[in-house]
Every structure is written in structure tokens, then in C-alpha cells.
Amino acid sequence: MFDFKDKVVVITGGTRGIGLEIARVFLENKAKVIIFGSKEETVNKTLAILKDEGFEAEGFYPNLNDYLDIESVIKKIIEKHGHIDVLINNAGISANKKIEETSSLDFEKIMDLNVNAIFNMTKAVVSYMKERKSGVILNTSSMVSIYGQPSGVGYPASKFAVNGLTKSLARELAPFNIRVNAVAPGIINTDMVANLPKEMIEPLIKTIPLGRIGQPRDVANAFLFLASDMASYITGEILQVDGATRS
Ligand code: NAD
């Protein structure tokens, strides 16, 4: 059991999949959890699910590509809670088309959410963390950030960029006692994977030495550890949570 009592944790892409499970593990460990989603309706639905499970969380739905929108939501959170201790940049979309079928708009959409949104969120939160000389920023990368993937090039390209943001910001923000790490999941049982074609998934499972697809909880636990004081000397790391998948 970790103790996140009085810690404020903001999670983008917190309405389902890995992000929702991250919300659950922090709630189980007494954190104040604020989820961000893309729509009011999905945010409210998720808050209701969590309520049924006995958890109280809060939610917002800023446009993650609109810095001013994010800034005003972060201000509201600071006015209410006074601080943000942990920022988890988890929202992301994937791709699987071959390059000839990928439009430049498809490519930009991925970069907008998977990379630019992390920049915007981090920029909006970091000054508050700096003031308190304390904070943790965690990003969701992917195993494709290590190996690439044979289609949907925007997705691995975006996750390589996530690693670059993580490693660089870790060094920039270390003097302010702000740690920055990423978790790089392998194949995890969420909607994102359910939407991929079978021909793509089945050969991938064969490459997992632990012999199974990961569960959202496997990934959420890694976030919890990296956000905790047990990881107080870990920064700039990309933690692979992929059952030793190496391709
Ligand atoms: P998911 O599709 O189940 O959830 C994605 C989340 O992102 C949702 O909460 C959704 O609301 C949010 N989101 C999507 N578009 C958005 C937008 N335009 N603005 C704001 N929020 C938006 O996916 P998941 O599998 O839970 O993925 C979460 C993260 O994990 C992503 O960054 C993804 O790249 C990464 N990841 C997933 C896997 C996997 O196998 N599932 C593997 C490696 C990395």
C-alpha cells in the first residue's frame, strides 16, 4: 500500500483503458484524482462508474491542443486544491495504416494528441510544481518507442518523441525536485488494442515471453510506483511494462 493522502493527481485520458485503471490505483491509495477526457459525457460516465465503485473523483474535458483552455482548467484545480503533485500525460491515439494510406492530417492528429498535448499540459502545470519544489510528471510511452512498428508510422514517431520529452524534461526540471519518467507498455488489453485488426494482434502475442497480453492494472501499478517516494531517485527513465516483448 502506498500513501497518496492529500496528493493531487491529474490524469489525461482518464476515462477508460489504462488511464481509468491509473485513476483507480491512485484512488485506492487515497489520492485526490482528477481525470481529463475528451468529452463531458464520457468524463461524467467515468465519474459515475468510479462512484459506483465507492470512489469520489473529479473531471474536466479541456481541449488538450488549446493551451489557454488547459491553463484555465489547471488554474481552477489550483484554486480549489492549492497544488498538483502528480501529472500523468496518458491520453493517446494509435494508428495502423501504411504510409501511402496515411494523410498528413492523420499524422498531425497523432502528433497533436500524443506529443503536443503533453507539451501543453506540462507547460501549464510545471510553474506550480516549481514554486513548491516538488512534483512528478509521468508520460505514457509505448514499446513501439523502442522498436518502431511496421505500420502506422505516426504512432511510433510520436512515442519516440514522448521519450525525448521525458528524458529532456527530467534533466531540465531535476533542480526543482520534479521527476519526469515514462511508462512504455507492451500490448495491453484496452479498447485501443481491441480496435486493431486480428492479423496485427495475433503475431504480436507470440512475441511476448510472458505469454499473455498485459492488463491495465499491470501498467497502472508501474505509474503508482514511479509517482511514489519509493522512486525518489528515479528520473528520466522509460520503464518498459511489456512482459519482455523485444520486437
Ligand atoms: P484507450 O483508447 O482505451 O483510451 C485513450 C484515452 O485517451 C481515453 O481516455 C480517451 O478519452 C483519451 N483521448 C482520446 N482522444 C483524445 C483527445 N482528442 N483529447 C483528449 N483525450 C483523448 O487507450 P489506452 O490503451 O488506454 O491508451 C492509453 C495510453 O496508453 C495511450 O497513450 C496509448 O498510446 C498508450 N499505450 C497503449 C497500449 C495498449 O496496448 N493499449 C500500449 C502502449 C501504449
Side-chain angles (χ1 to χ4, degrees):
M1 194 82 168
F2 294 88
D3 188 3
F4 280 87
K5 195 169 179 289
D6 301 324
K7 301 277 186 197
V8 179
V9 181
V10 172
I11 306 164
T12 70
T15 59
R16 58 173 197 259
I18 291 171
L20 173 55
E21 203 60 18
I22 297 171
R24 285 194 180 100
V25 291
F26 278 95
L27 286 162
E28 285 166 13
N29 287 277
K30 313 271 180 274
K32 287 184 181 138
V33 169
I34 300 161
I35 58 165
F36 282 14
S38 50
K39 291 188 215 117
E40 180 176 12
E41 185 195 339
T42 48
V43 168
N44 288 340
K45 204 172 129 196
T46 304
L47 294 177
I49 291 171
L50 289 170
K51 197 164 192 177
D52 281 350
E53 295 172 11
F55 300 121
E56 277 306 326
E58 292 168 44
F60 292 94
Y61 39 93
N63 175 352
L64 297 183
N65 290 121
D66 179 343
Y67 181 73
L68 294 178
D69 197 12
I70 294 174
E71 199 179 41
S72 78
V73 170
I74 296 298
K75 260 193 194 143
K76 277 187 204 156
I77 295 171
I78 295 290
E79 274 161 23
K80 177 164 179 195
H81 296 287
H83 50 97
I84 293 171
D85 300 280
V86 182
L87 166 64
I88 301 184
N89 290 306
N90 167 75
I93 45 173
S94 67
N96 56 57
K97 290 189 216 160
K98 296 291 177 197
I99 188 159
E100 305 93 308
E101 293 143 23
T102 304
S103 67
S104 30
L105 193 65
D106 292 335
F107 190 84
E108 275 168 33
K109 252 178 91 175
I110 293 213
M111 291 296 166
D112 275 348
L113 185 63
N114 295 12
V115 184
N116 300 352
I118 296 186
F119 168 81
N120 287 335
M121 284 295 302
T122 305
K123 186 174 152 78
V125 166
V126 82
S127 57
Y128 299 106
M129 290 184 169
K130 273 186 171 182
E131 265 172 32
R132 302 180 82 226
K133 280 219 158 219
S134 171
V136 175
I137 298 167
L138 301 174
N139 300 322
T140 306
S141 182
S142 165
M143 71 176 177
V144 304
S145 75
I146 319 284
Y147 307 108
Q149 72 177 22
S151 62
V153 68
Y155 184 63
S158 72
K159 296 299 187 179
F160 273 76
V162 170
N163 294 2
L165 281 164
T166 303
K167 286 175 176 286
S168 303
L169 287 171
R171 295 178 68 181
E172 179 176 332
L173 300 174
F176 303 94
N177 191 32
I178 300 169
R179 295 187 296 106
V180 188
N181 289 293
V183 174
I187 306 165
I188 308 300
N189 190 14
T190 68
D191 291 352
M192 179 178 275
V193 164
N195 292 336
L196 291 176
K198 241 185 174 175
E199 318 74 91
M200 202 167 162
I201 294 290
E202 278 170 0
L204 284 176
I205 295 177
K206 293 199 178 106
T207 68
I208 308 172
L210 277 183
R212 67 172 176 89
I213 283 193
Q215 294 303 322
R217 182 58 57 133
D218 294 319
V219 180
N221 285 337
F223 278 98
L224 187 71
F225 164 69
L226 285 172
S228 77
D229 288 344
M230 290 185 77
S232 60
Y233 200 54
I234 300 175
T235 193
E237 278 304 311
I238 314 297
L239 176 57
Q240 288 174 247
V241 179
D242 59 8
T245 310
R246 293 294 175 265
S247 64

